Amino acid sequence: MLGRNIPYQPTAGTNLHHAEVISTKIAVSMVKRSRRPLLVIGEYGGEAVRYLEDLNIEKIYTPRDMNLLSIIKMITREDYDLVMFIGITYYYLNQALTHLKHFSDTITLTLDGKYIPNAHYSFPNMEEGEHIEAIKRFRMLLDNL
Amino acid sequence: MRVRRIVPTIYSKNLKVKGNISIPTEDVSSKPTGPNPMPKVTDLRYWDFKLLRRYQPFYMPICDMCCLCTFGKCDLSKGKKGACGIDMKLQQARLVLLACCIGTACHAAHCRHLVDALIEKLGRDYPIDLGNSIEVEAPIIRTVVGIRVKTLGDLEKVLKYCEEQLTHLLSATHTGQEGDVLDFESKALHAGMLDDVVREVGDIAQIVGYGMPKGEIETPLVDLGINCIDRSKPVILCIGHNVIPSTYIIDYLEEKGLEEEIEVCGICCTALDATRYSKNAKIVGPLSRQLMFIRSGVADVIVVDEQCIRLDILEEARRTGAVVIATNDKMCLGLEDLSHLSEDEIISRILREGAGLILEESKVGKVAVELARIVFRSRREMKERCLPALEEIRALANRCTECGWCNRVCPNSFPVMESIVEAKEGRFEKLADLYKRCYSCGRCESECERNLPIVSMITKAGELYHTLEFKVRVGKGPIQDVEIRKVGAPIVFGEIPGVVAFAGCTNYPNGEEELALMAKELLERKYIVVAAGCASMSIGMWKDSDGKTLYEKYPGEFQAGGLINAGPCLSNCHVSGAAIKIANIFAKLPLEGNFAQVADYILNRVGAVGVAWGAMSQKAVAIATGFNRWGIPVIVGPHGIKYRRLYLSDGEDFEVYDRKLKKVIRIDPTPEHLITAAENFKECLCTIPKLCMRPNDGSRGRSMKVYHYVTLYEKYFNCMPPDLEKFIRTERDIPFMLKDKILKYLEEKGWEPRKEMPQEPTLLY
Ligand code: SF4
Ligand code: SF4
Ligand code: SF4
């Protein structure tokens, strides 16, 4: 029903270049290869976020620690090579990500259970339970590194 | 009390003033004293560039391509250029300028229409008399155009200047014109400023021409809300922004003594203006309630004028049996102009055809009223049946396949499907809850594979479950000079924590109530809250536990803890107007032709911030950009970033020139951004006190602003603001009540007091 790589909000795309859908396994290997990853956590991630909270990766909670756009502006100045996002309002994150998509080399990866076209890489649309399982697996594979 | 010296620098050949000054405003020559009367496109570029270097444009392209000419479509992604040589950033800047031009053109044409109509009615020499309480009659026009308007004819001159400038600006968006991002942005700022000017023209014209309130401190309260409209009477619904047709309807009713017999109500700014014109008009609500109210079938006659009207209005009205009268050359809807016919002939044509265009507005009064009486008789029974009854909703819901696409196409991803699924079992609470948050865009039902009338289902549940009877204060128009005199000093020294202007449309992420809750929190903290347009109605659409709306609870005066409805979108001009008046009345800065000086003063000293929480239209981006050129920061809601551009600083120290210290110094980054966005209500509320901070705040004022910043953050995020150290310049900025806590926080951050404090900060050096 969900159409795994149709933007969750179907109008969220930007015409030509849309995120590549990736599996948990690939996501894990991206984190593994990353020199300086960052995880940006929003307020709407639900249960899935619980499995990421004690992950040993630099984290920013938005908006509490920083406004999302300020984070994005900061990312273009710092040397993060991989930035992951989860739990941010869908259309807001998708729109904000276009800044990084066009004006920076930082790789972006979204870990929500909804396909977000303006990231470089995104999980596909998933049902909630499936998404939680995916995040658990992501966590487990990272722990096993 | 400590006395502060105000030492403005005055841009004038004849005046060299330093130290305490007192120049009565009347003495200021009406000849422009500043360098930029009637600034041309590039005249204020020097000011814009100063702003834009500090607050750099931050772009978020909504499309990878450009399709504006037939060389294209061109792919501008990944550093590629279009066939004309444009790149992605430039294209975004160009589109922002285009949006600002559309918004400004819309206000300019609306105000041209008002001025022309009033000149025809009252004559070119009709005086602009705003009463004894307002001497600075048009602060924006004075500053930008450099003249003092005395008659309606003078307003024409102002419009002519704006229309000419607007043509130049629009032309810059043509293929192969402007080729620099900052120049595009400077032009967008110019368009925003012109937008402010034309709105002031239009609002002043209608205030004097239609006898609307001239800044009265306590204007009356009027009914607001869908359930305030008496369905047992013929109902005329006016939608849009241009009050002229409504005035004819109200006049006709009064002339015939029919005020009690017929309901006149409105949606959007026309409604706000109708209540400024007559106490008999009622307000249904803001834009968000448009489709819902049409669907409810309460209206017998729908009169549309201009802007933000649903374009499927004919189809929607036809379904309810209502008739439509279009009245404006901007919105003819394919209808034949019936103006040449007599009123009786027009009535029979519209009865036959269901709709008609009447560009001769003086005929709208009789036609609308008489049509309402006739149509009402024939559809009295139908009125109650336009919306499905609860049992029908249940039956409809049972046709839902639970495909989930309604949730996906809803701009806010509301749980539409879940509400429908509940309704299958006869539980309507979720639909009723959705009613409060939904803005009736109808996207869910256009997608529904079962063609369920989702908006009608939501509307019915909402009308049954909620009272929907509220109050709003009639739009006051300009802020009086005496009000400004009282609050000028506490605002400039930061002792009133800020002036917060709620502006813009209803593209809210989560319904109207959040706007009211923001206003409530600020009013309790003694901010001055001003609202205009749809935002002013939204603030009224919430009641406290005592059953009162905020307009009933807080005074309508421009004072600490005052809640002002300025009026419709046009009345946003009175917000920048108030900031300018502070510069003029309180600090004695001459206005005429002195834009940059005045804006520099506002940026550095006047703690005002605009909140366009539901900004949707091109007009709203023009309004926001207009605020920005005056140095007033703006916060938009999460949908607002689809305008594609914000002005963000990098949050590090700012540099200013200090006229007193006679050198460039580094200061705290205040106000931190010129236009930014917040994801949700909590973030917006916590950003407001921060953006109200100004370099010129005294320690007492700054400590109060810090107090609100910290306590709001603690209330909503349970922690200290993570960037607090940037805004505490010395220990004296720390509020007494929070001293220990803040000192501990500062110690952890390795904070050090600043060695230098600005005395007379300016960007103009
Ligand atoms: S305006 Fe420029 S970028 Fe746009 S379609 Fe034409 S050539 Fe291409
Ligand atoms: S009408 Fe309401 S529920 Fe439907 S898509 Fe629009 S906002 Fe969402
Ligand atoms: S789109 Fe229609 S059929 Fe599909 S879930 Fe929503 S209401 Fe049901």
Side-chain angles (χ1 to χ4, degrees), chain B residues 254-300:
Chain B
E254 284 172 6
E255 200 184 300
K256 300 282 166 190
L258 294 170
E259 302 100 309
E260 293 297 312
E261 192 187 308
I262 290 175
E263 288 275 90
V264 179
C265 60
I267 285 178
C268 229
C269 290
T270 285
L272 285 169
D273 276 333
T275 61
R276 290 165 103 190
Y277 185 66
S278 158
K279 63 180 185 340
N280 294 319
K282 291 180 178 175
I283 303 179
V284 172
L287 187 63
S288 47
R289 303 292 146 186
Q290 186 174 180
L291 186 57
M292 289 174 173
F293 190 68
I294 298 168
R295 288 279 176 90
S296 73
V298 174
D300 297 292

Side-chain angles (χ1 to χ4, degrees), chain B residues 397 399-407 416-417 420 444 447-452 454:
Chain B
R399 286 170 42 202
C400 162
T401 58
E402 302 183 24
C403 71
W405 276 94
C406 43
N407 292 8
V416 187
M417 181 185 81
I420 304 277
C444 49
E447 189 74 27
C448 178
E449 59 186 11
R450 287 302 173 96
N451 286 321
L452 299 187
I454 301 174

Side-chain angles (χ1 to χ4, degrees), chain B residues 426-444:
Chain B
R427 289 189 301 270
F428 304 105
E429 290 77 8
K430 278 199 175 161
L431 272 180
D433 175 58
L434 199 51
Y435 177 88
K436 288 196 160 180
R437 302 192 286 149
C438 158
Y439 42 58
S440 70
C441 70
R443 268 166 58 165
C444 49

Side-chain angles (χ1 to χ4, degrees), chain A residues 2 6-10 14-17 43-44 63-65 67 69 73 77 89 91-92 95 98-99 102, chain B residues 56 59-61 63-64 75 77 88 405 408 410-411 413 639 646 648 650 677 679-680 682-683 713 722:
Chain A
L2 287 167
I6 298 172
Y8 176 77
Q9 287 192 352
T14 55
N15 261 330
L16 289 177
H17 305 286
E43 292 189 338
Y44 308 107
R64 189 193 70 193
D65 302 344
N67 167 277
L69 307 155
K73 194 165 165 144
R77 288 197 306 262
T89 304
Y91 59 88
Y92 183 62
Q95 178 63 16
T98 64
H99 184 83
H102 288 286
Chain B
Q56 303 122 25
Y59 295 111
M60 292 159 284
C63 179
D64 293 333
D75 174 8
S77 66
M88 190 54 116
W405 276 94
R408 287 181 70 170
C410 173
S413 305
H639 286 294
L646 299 171
L648 306 177
D650 51 20
E679 182 181 5
N680 55 28
K682 303 192 294 187
E683 188 186 12
Y713 228 90

Side-chain angles (χ1 to χ4, degrees), chain B residues 65-76 81-87 91 94 173-176:
Chain B
M65 295 194 275
C66 172
C67 58
L68 285 182
C69 85
T70 69
F71 271 148
K73 298 183 272 183
C74 294
D75 174 8
L76 306 180
K81 288 183 190 168
C84 60
I86 206 167
D87 68 14
Q91 171 68 358
R94 180 186 183 198
T173 65
H174 191 275
T175 301

